Amino acid sequence: MSSHEQLVKTLSLIQLERQADLEQYRQKVILRSISDRVKDGVTWYPVRMLRDYIGTGERIIIEIEKTNNIDQPHSFQSGKVVSVFSNASGTPNKQHVQGVINYVRDNQMVITINGDDLPDWMDDGMLGVDVMFDEMTYKEMEFALKSVIKAEDNRVAELRELLLGARPATSEEQTTANQSLTTNSALNESQQQALKKIISAPDIAFIHGPPGTGKTTTLVSAIKITIAAEKQVLVCAPSNAAIDLLVEKLSEQGVRALRIGHPARVTEQTLSKTLDARIAAHPHYHELRAMRKKMEQVRSKAHKYKRNYGYQEKEQRRMLFEEAKALKADADVLEFYIVNDLLNNSEAICCTLVGSSHPVMKGRKFKTVFIDEAAQALEPACWIPLLKSQRVIFAGDHQQLPPTIKSFQAAQEGLSVTLFEKGISKFPHLGQMLRIQYRMHEAIMRFSSDYFYGGKLLAHPSVAHELLRPNHTPIDFIDTAGCGYQEEQNKETLSRYNKDEAALLISLIEKLIDEIGIDTWLGENLTLGIISPYGAQVELLHQLAEGSAQLEPLHKLISINTVDAFQGQERDIIAISFVRSNDKGEVGFLSDIRRTNVAITRAKKKLIMVGDSATLGAHPFYTKLLDYVQAKEFYKSAFEI
């Protein structure tokens, strides 16, 4: 297909994805009663207001608390758009106001409200919060795709033909770049090779970073070198968490990073780097605030004059509104100056892919855009910052988790294939795989290295032989075949769980804790991740862990979650429950083997896997995994435990 045909198809696929996402939202939120929505975790009701205050950027922030104290899984997380509503009027068209979640902890939620005032009906009680459908993201992706399709005789058209068409990419050395800067003694050889490829790439380059290979470190070094040559760069990632991490790392290296985006979507560590916080710290901010305060006073005075007053009062009201309008215009001009001053004096403008369409970015162009976690980014989202850039540097790993896609049809027809994956397969000579990993014991790394990375990964000497205890094996695979541990399915969510396997995994962890000792465990700050690909199994593992006397004192060091939630993280010990155990040999969700690659490679010193070899062995990937653990004598039957 031509580049145009590919993009037209991608546009139809993102529209399919939008329909699937909206339909899920309709089924979960719009078409259900409050009690059902609460049960499904898409609504908190009833809630009470704890307090409200003015936060960063003069925005209204509210803190609310659930009053039913029922602890259950939910869809609320920082950065999500929500609707705060009141049922006090008793009408179906309930009163509501939108906002963005700052953070959620236990039964409390902090929300930044959209708008200048807190609605009066908030005092009426019967408050609740719904998750909202994110319409804006789809609009921005569709707009970007249409812009790329229409592009002619410009840099966007050239990049389109490079990445999707027949145009070849070169790696001629850039005269503006300082080659000597790549000689960084803190970086290993493959990392330095990645820097050289970035410096010499006039169009595109790829950092392929397998687990634990220092991708972020390499990327930060590349950004610093590029800033030295170009003065300013655009830095993007698909998620708020990924871009916040980069802002933190860049700031530590002395880079003047400016975080564009809603303050509610930003971590506390990054808040001071946001545009809103920087505006508030600007030398001219006190003038802006004084103008706005005077404007509000004038508007308030104008509202005191009713329409049925005489001519003089009406004239006075008109003049006051004119004055308020003039003050607002002056304030807008000053704010425009402050914003542009901040943007012009920043070295790295950092935002999510969709965030690069923020109004303050209108008309801005960049020589280079860096896209981190590019193998987890939808192609349409990547085109948003590419519209503003002359060249692009992708960083990621297409052997780890792909983008999350709700439409099975869209995923099957190609939406799950990222621009990173398309580009690195088309131009392998423009990519550099990082080869030294600094996370895992050599034996934990070896299977993934051989299966996914052509056996090219090497464990750094500092981690290669690091065991949890001298007498421990780095891996334990516990086989439940023949035990009768049958999987079950949650009728509502259709997610799988396996009660016996969950109980066995928790008992194995309890034995490990007893062996090491709670005091030693706490003294060494040993971290443990308990992982399952299935949400229903995660829920079950949470319940069992909460009822465990051994796990209770260590709860701050233990995380239990799905594989997707662990990407980019690491733990001293990882324990995985594979769940699937059936007579048909169906592995379902587990057939996306990249998910298992992520799960395995989170472990630093110890990896525990529990699964049914009779079911898993029906898939060639798991057959190879079983062969590996048996050959290395890491295999045990559950009957031996």
Side-chain angles (χ1 to χ4, degrees):
M1 283 196 291
S2 71
S3 60
H4 279 86
E5 287 169 333
Q6 289 177 62
L7 287 162
V8 168
K9 185 180 180 187
T10 303
L11 180 60
S12 70
L13 294 180
I14 203 67
Q15 287 164 347
L16 259 183
E17 173 66 4
R18 182 190 173 281
Q19 287 165 13
D21 199 358
L22 181 57
E23 186 52 35
Q24 274 193 29
Y25 175 74
R26 279 170 49 76
Q27 296 295 336
K28 277 185 167 182
V29 181
I30 297 174
L31 302 177
R32 310 203 70 180
S33 67
I34 282 188
S35 57
D36 283 343
R37 299 200 314 261
V38 168
K39 195 176 172 186
D40 286 350
V42 293
T43 296
W44 275 17
Y45 183 85
V47 301
R48 68 172 171 222
M49 181 102 80
L50 296 177
R51 69 182 183 122
D52 64 272
Y53 56 94
I54 303 296
T56 308
E58 302 290 295
R59 295 171 190 255
I60 298 167
I61 294 176
I62 62 168
E63 289 183 16
I64 58 161
E65 182 179 52
K66 261 199 301 186
T67 55
N68 59 18
N69 284 324
I70 299 169
D71 189 23
Q72 65 187 89
H74 58 74
S75 304
F76 295 95
Q77 61 191 57
S78 62
K80 281 212 170 180
V81 179
V82 291
S83 172
V84 182
F85 65 86
S86 170
N87 261 357
S89 63
T91 60
N93 299 320
K94 62 193 178 211
Q95 293 163 309
H96 62 90
V97 62
Q98 283 194 16
V100 177
I101 299 174
N102 291 48
Y103 61 83
V104 184
R105 285 181 194 158
D106 303 323
N107 285 330
Q108 292 187 5
M109 194 186 300
V110 177
I111 302 166
T112 299
I113 296 296
N114 295 345
D116 299 329
D117 299 303
L118 206 59
D120 295 336
W121 51 258
M122 284 240 182
D123 297 328
D124 298 342
M126 296 182 73
L127 298 176
V129 187
D130 284 331
V131 168
M132 291 292 287
F133 177 67
D134 187 5
E135 181 78 44
M136 190 52 66
T137 296
Y138 289 103
K139 282 184 177 174
E140 294 296 349
M141 287 194 285
E142 287 182 24
F143 176 80
L145 283 173
K146 287 172 184 174
S147 300
V148 178
I149 290 167
K150 287 188 292 188
E152 281 183 40
D153 301 325
N154 59 15
R155 187 57 177 159
V156 174
E158 288 174 359
L159 287 171
R160 177 190 68 214
E161 296 312 310
L162 276 165
L163 286 160
L164 303 176
R167 186 186 173 106
T170 58
S171 54
E172 298 158 9
E173 192 166 314
Q174 286 184 313
T175 54
T176 51
N178 186 347
Q179 191 77 23
S180 65
L181 284 166
T182 61
T183 313
N184 183 339
S185 58
L187 301 180
N188 64 48
E189 190 185 341
S190 63
Q191 291 172 328
Q192 293 198 36
Q193 284 300 321
L195 290 195
K196 284 175 184 171
K197 287 201 173 179
I198 289 164
I199 280 176
S200 63
D203 304 311
I204 44 179
F206 303 88
I207 302 174
H208 179 197
T213 54
K215 172 177 66 69
T216 304
T217 303
T218 310
L219 191 59
V220 167
S221 296
I223 291 167
K224 281 187 73 177
I225 288 169
T226 309
I227 288 168
E230 299 172 11
K231 307 306 177 200
Q232 189 178 75
V233 296
L234 178 59
V235 181
C236 296
S239 69
N240 287 292
I243 199 65
D244 283 345
L245 175 65
L246 269 176
V247 170
E248 211 177 307
K249 299 293 183 191
L250 286 165
S251 300
E252 284 171 9
Q253 292 294 312
V255 173
R256 294 195 303 277
L258 181 66
R259 172 71 158 94
I260 305 293
H262 199 298
R265 293 189 167 99
V266 174
T267 59
E268 287 178 41
Q269 295 90 328
T270 314
L271 201 56
S272 64
K273 312 293 187 301
T274 60
L275 183 60
D276 286 49
R278 287 279 170 83
I279 290 170
H282 194 275
H284 291 290
Y285 178 67
H286 67 281
E287 293 172 45
L288 179 63
R289 193 162 186 183
M291 278 183 193
R292 288 208 177 125
K293 192 174 180 184
K294 191 174 179 187
M295 179 190 77
E296 286 304 318
Q297 287 169 348
V298 172
R299 279 168 60 90
S300 180
K301 197 174 175 184
H303 281 296
K304 288 178 184 174
Y305 292 94
K306 306 292 182 196
R307 289 182 191 277
N308 57 357
Y309 277 21
Y311 173 77
Q312 282 188 322
E313 286 83 3
K314 283 183 180 177
E315 191 61 18
Q316 184 71 17
R317 177 188 169 96
R318 186 188 65 76
M319 287 170 66
L320 286 167
F321 274 128
E322 286 293 324
E323 187 185 347
K325 194 176 174 183
L327 282 165
K328 185 182 185 303
D330 288 345
D332 288 347
V333 168
L334 182 56
E335 184 173 10
F336 181 79
Y337 162 75
I338 292 171
V339 167
N340 279 282
D341 185 45
L342 291 167
L343 286 164
N344 293 337
N345 286 290
S346 298
E347 294 173 320
I349 310 289
C350 305
C351 52
T352 60
L353 295 164
V354 176
S356 64
S357 64
H358 193 286
V360 300
M361 303 284 277
K362 193 174 181 181
R364 289 203 162 253
K365 296 288 182 185
F366 299 86
K367 179 75 185 294
T368 304
V369 58
F370 288 86
I371 300 180
D372 193 16
E373 300 295 357
Q376 266 198 297
L378 288 169
E379 179 185 329
C382 286
W383 285 113
I384 301 171
L386 276 167
L387 289 171
K388 300 175 181 294
S389 311
Q390 293 292 303
R391 70 178 192 132
V392 57
I393 311 301
F394 294 99
D397 178 15
H398 49 302
Q399 301 297 352
Q400 294 188 60
L401 285 171
T404 302
I405 296 173
K406 294 185 169 72
S407 165
F408 179 75
Q409 185 185 343
Q412 290 294 102
E413 291 186 21
L415 190 60
S416 60
V417 183
T418 63
L419 212 46
F420 177 93
E421 202 170 341
K422 289 177 183 178
I424 203 166
S425 60
K426 185 178 177 185
F427 301 118
H429 64 289
L430 299 179
Q432 175 64 46
M433 189 176 92
L434 308 181
R435 295 187 57 189
I436 311 292
Q437 68 83 17
Y438 299 84
R439 175 184 296 160
M440 295 162 266
H441 187 283
E442 202 278 337
I444 299 172
M445 174 204 77
R446 180 52 45 208
F447 176 74
S448 280
S449 175
D450 290 346
Y451 195 93
F452 293 100
Y453 305 107
K456 291 177 182 174
L457 290 188
L458 299 168
H460 190 265
S462 62
V463 297
H465 308 293
E466 190 77 13
L467 292 165
L468 192 62
R469 287 291 176 272
N471 61 332
H472 279 209
T473 53
I475 301 174
D476 289 331
F477 187 100
I478 312 302
D479 186 4
T480 64
C483 294
Y485 290 5
Q486 286 293 303
E487 66 184 65
E488 297 175 67
Q489 189 170 30
N490 183 305
K491 287 176 185 174
E492 286 188 14
T493 64
L494 304 182
S495 184
R496 309 270 172 174
Y497 62 97
N498 189 320
K499 289 178 185 173
D500 293 317
E501 187 175 293
L504 174 62
L505 187 67
I506 294 296
S507 71
L508 289 168
I509 292 165
E510 287 172 338
K511 282 180 186 173
L512 185 64
I513 292 167
D514 288 343
E515 187 185 336
I516 291 172
I518 285 173
D519 291 341
T520 307
W521 193 294
L522 286 166
E524 293 182 19
N525 260 337
L526 294 174
T527 53
L528 165 67
I530 303 173
I531 299 180
S532 177
Y534 293 92
Q537 187 77 342
V538 167
E539 202 175 320
L540 183 56
L541 288 162
H542 265 291
Q543 290 168 9
L544 292 171
E546 282 166 12
S548 166
Q550 286 100 316
L551 270 68
E552 200 280 326
L554 308 173
H555 72 275
K556 287 185 178 174
L557 295 168
I558 298 172
S559 312
I560 306 172
N561 220 321
T562 58
V563 183
D564 301 51
F566 270 97
Q567 175 139 326
Q569 300 184 42
E570 61 185 29
R571 298 290 187 273
D572 293 310
I573 307 135
I574 287 289
I576 304 170
S577 169
F578 285 114
V579 177
R580 299 310 294 258
S581 183
N582 55 70
D583 299 331
K584 296 177 182 176
E586 291 177 349
V587 297
F589 196 43
L590 296 181
S591 61
D592 188 345
I593 56 176
R594 291 175 293 184
R595 189 166 265 102
T596 304
N597 182 35
V598 171
I600 288 171
T601 55
R602 301 308 95 197
K604 291 164 73 175
K605 300 174 183 176
K606 179 85 175 176
L607 173 64
I608 301 166
M609 296 179 278
V610 179
D612 178 352
S613 66
T615 300
L616 295 175
H619 192 286
F621 168 80
Y622 295 98
T623 301
K624 280 195 163 59
L625 177 61
L626 289 160
D627 289 345
Y628 176 76
V629 293
Q630 284 177 322
K632 296 282 186 180
E633 298 183 353
F634 299 147
Y635 172 93
K636 285 179 188 169
S637 167
F639 292 110
E640 296 174 49
I641 305 297

